[in-house]
Amino acid sequence: MEFGVFILAQQRGYHQTSQQVINNAVEQTVAAEAAGFDTAWYAEHHFNNYSLCPSPLMMVSHCAGLTKRIRLGSAVCVLPLYNPARLLGEIGFADTVSNGRLDLGIGSGYQQFEFDRFGVGLKDSHSLFAEFYDVLQAGMKERIFSYSGKHLQMPPTAIAVRTIQKPMPPIWVTSGHPETLGRAISDNHNLFVTALLNGLDAIKALRERLEGIASKEGRSIDDTHFGFLRCAYASDNENEIHAYLDNARFQRRLSESLKFRRAQSDDGYLIKEEAGPNDMSLETMRSNLPVGSVNQVIDRMLEEISILKPPHIALQTQLGDFDQRTMLRQIDLWGSKIIPAIRRELRSSRPADRLAGEAAPA
């Protein structure tokens, strides 16, 4: 079982400067490595306070110089907003300076607000993604490659700085389209999935959805490496728990406002936090999520893992304006107590599971 931190780098108000937000993201990366996490993931968003990281690959390259072991990933590069030739060069550079620690997460994007400002039609996002998917694989696998598609044209091209990982870094795909996820499964790439702020029923439904997509490709989802993005927080301090849940709800409110074109702003930058039709009370969120004492979080995480069976869990650490020192302690707590306990329990349950399987009638 792998564990990562997912760093969104949000700015909840002008009491946070952009420099503070980015510095906090970097500091959390260093803390995650010290705590024993496997991966640090960086989002990509533009032009508002939902997320201040405009380039996950720049974050990877910067944090590569401050870390030695932890893998560094994009979650995700929004492919339609890039030039493919430049992106290939930057992927090679990031993998090189990180000494082969890059995990390349890719997606098609969903925020009209961003696409408008890049001059890209959101309606073309999935067909653009499909062509980028082809170009990236060709550019990393082949020394000289070319491409001719509806959206992208590449004459015979060589990428100067190539990836250290051969033939390419691990690819992680996130998408709302089953066809895109199916293609990733068929190509032996990884998936990134989430149940948002929902509970066990949503996790069960997610597992069933993944099983169905994999089955259409003639595969088992258990043979696919996938990551599960999750909000979780362990503490006996009710004020900390309330603050974490409040910031998680803030994150979701802004995400839905942007996704469903409801986003409002008084100054053209700071998005108003407004409740939407899917809004939840903090009490409901607490019952849905692995939140509570250390033992409660461990037990709930084990229950979710038993349902979804994800090989990788990415914890949302930097949400809204949650206190940085408190979050650094949380990262350390996961590394020192929660992750070791989960891994011990998973190891101890495997022999029993195997024996049960062997004893089952044919």
Side-chain angles (χ1 to χ4, degrees), residues 14 128 234 265 348:
Y14 290 119
L128 270 166
S265 174
S348 68

Side-chain angles (χ1 to χ4, degrees), residues 178-179 182 185-186 209-220:
E179 297 84 0
I185 291 171
S186 179
R209 179 171 179 260
L210 293 175
E211 288 175 343
I213 293 170
S215 178
K216 287 185 177 180
E217 301 298 324
R219 306 286 291 275
S220 167

Side-chain angles (χ1 to χ4, degrees), residues 8 72 86 121 147 171 211 228 232 252 269 273 297 326 346:
L8 191 53
L72 304 166
R86 186 173 188 90
Y147 185 83
I171 302 254
E211 288 175 343
F228 180 43
R252 192 64 202 150
Y269 170 72
E273 179 185 357
V297 169
T326 305
L346 292 175

